[in-house]
Amino acid sequence: MGVRDAVGAFALAAVVAWLATPLSARLARRLGVIHVPRERDLHERPTPGLGGLAILAAVIAAGLVFLPLQREYLGVLAGAALIALLGALDDRFDLHPVPKLMGQLAAASVPVAAGVYVDHVTLPFLGALDLGPAGPPLTLLGIVAVVNVVNWTDGVDGLAAGVCLIAAVTFAVLALSLDRDAAGVLAALTAGAAAGFLRHNFHPASVFMGDAGSNLLGLLLACVAIQGVLKTAAVVALLFPLMVLAVPAADATFVIAKRIKYRRPVYAPDRWHFHHRFANIGFSQRRTVMYLYGWSLSLALLALALRFVPYSDEAGHLRPGWAALLAVFGAIAVAASVYVVYVLEILKFRRWRERDIQRRVETGELPALSREAIEREIEREIETGEFEAVRGEPGS
């Protein structure tokens, strides 16, 4: 088992997902699982869901062919089936958050009970940290956290599938390089299933994955991270999943912070996700997705560089040339992150402030101003941080 099996698993899963997705859309129409646009949604027409069932079919098919039929991986497949079916029920009946969370915990407990859990982590400069009996429950919570992080990312055509594709390919390369071949195959078939589905889900999407798909992909990525990275002795093992899943994790962290700040239920839907904020400043769905793909890819490349660039020798001394190359990858990731923040915050402020000034000119609160004068005033406000206080929050 190795690279050849991983490539085969990717190909089989991609083909099955590609062929099965139209069938899942047909099933969704028969069952009435149609996503009608709501106020917070970005799609413009009713779209069938249950695409996650096609992803599940691809995962099961490729898994039974290419994965070792060991207890751990049978547990992963069983947990995947359970959480996808739970998601399908949620897509059909819109379950309350509490039973949905209980179902996620139950599904995640299946692979954990089968041995997919972290009993120690390797920390830079500190070595191995034994988690003891806290390992399984902490792993359970971590899997459910990743499930919901991915679920919240699924709000615009192709975003969740594409980000999961990038993450799964990265995990596959990392796992195979660390001689965790089975985990590498699991990551590869996850990537293949996401790729086959993405063919139908990229804007304009003909089908949505729904919670059946996002929950499934989240659980698979969490299990891949555990089996393929966290269980190894690699010094930067803990950093790999943090970087590979940084974009959906950052989105979830920002949204939770906003909801807490404004005293809203953490589970209540809103328009504060990154994809909503891009839409608020006028980005199309495709442009939004490509920006977030690029950000995810820059962080994935940094994770791969940390694995493959020999920036230090066995004694721990830096090799200047290789360290400089690693610094380049780090700079690219930082630049991408800063640029996204610039787009979301500075550009959002510019457009909101321009509309606010124009509104006040129209109502007579301000004298008539040319477009050039408005732009000069906004530039001054950005440079100095001095502008008139307003009520509410711009672009929220």
Side-chain angles (χ1 to χ4, degrees), residues 363-379:
T363 59
E365 297 179 50
L366 293 175
L369 296 171
S370 66
R371 184 174 183 82
E372 291 74 16
I374 293 175
E375 290 178 354
R376 286 197 301 271
E377 171 61 17
I378 294 173
E379 285 291 343

Side-chain angles (χ1 to χ4, degrees), residues 308-352:
F308 292 107
V309 174
Y311 55 89
S312 65
D313 57 26
E314 295 181 359
H317 301 127
L318 285 180
R319 294 172 171 171
W322 289 112
L325 178 60
L326 181 63
V328 170
F329 282 100
I332 292 172
V334 171
S337 303
V338 170
Y339 183 68
V340 170
V341 172
Y342 166 80
V343 170
L344 289 179
E345 298 301 329
I346 304 300
L347 185 55
K348 178 191 74 173
F349 173 80
R350 283 179 181 273
R351 296 191 178 184
W352 169 82

Side-chain angles (χ1 to χ4, degrees), residues 183-213:
V185 170
L186 178 62
L189 67 86
T190 301
F197 174 76
L198 185 60
R199 169 65 182 81
H200 303 278
N201 185 240
F202 197 74
H203 186 74
S206 60
V207 61
F208 292 159
M209 68 170 65
D211 281 7

Side-chain angles (χ1 to χ4, degrees), residues 202-224:
F202 197 74
H203 186 74
S206 60
V207 61
F208 292 159
M209 68 170 65
D211 281 7
S214 58
N215 286 358
L216 169 61
L217 290 174
L219 181 137
L220 290 172
L221 288 177
C223 291
V224 163

Side-chain angles (χ1 to χ4, degrees), residues 83-166:
I83 205 164
L85 294 176
L86 168 72
L89 288 174
D90 186 33
D91 292 331
R92 177 63 182 86
F93 299 106
D94 194 17
L95 303 177
H96 187 275
V98 173
K100 183 160 58 175
L101 177 60
M102 294 300 102
Q104 291 173 345
L105 288 167
S109 68
V110 175
V112 171
V116 182
Y117 62 84
V118 181
D119 53 11
H120 72 278
V121 292
T122 303
L123 302 176
F125 310 110
L126 298 178
L129 173 64
D130 188 1
L131 298 178
L138 288 176
T139 302
L140 178 62
L141 295 177
I143 292 175
V144 172
V146 174
V147 165
N148 284 287
V149 160
V150 173
N151 177 261
W152 286 356
T153 306
D154 184 30
V156 61
D157 294 356
L159 180 57
V163 169
C164 289
L165 170 60
I166 293 169

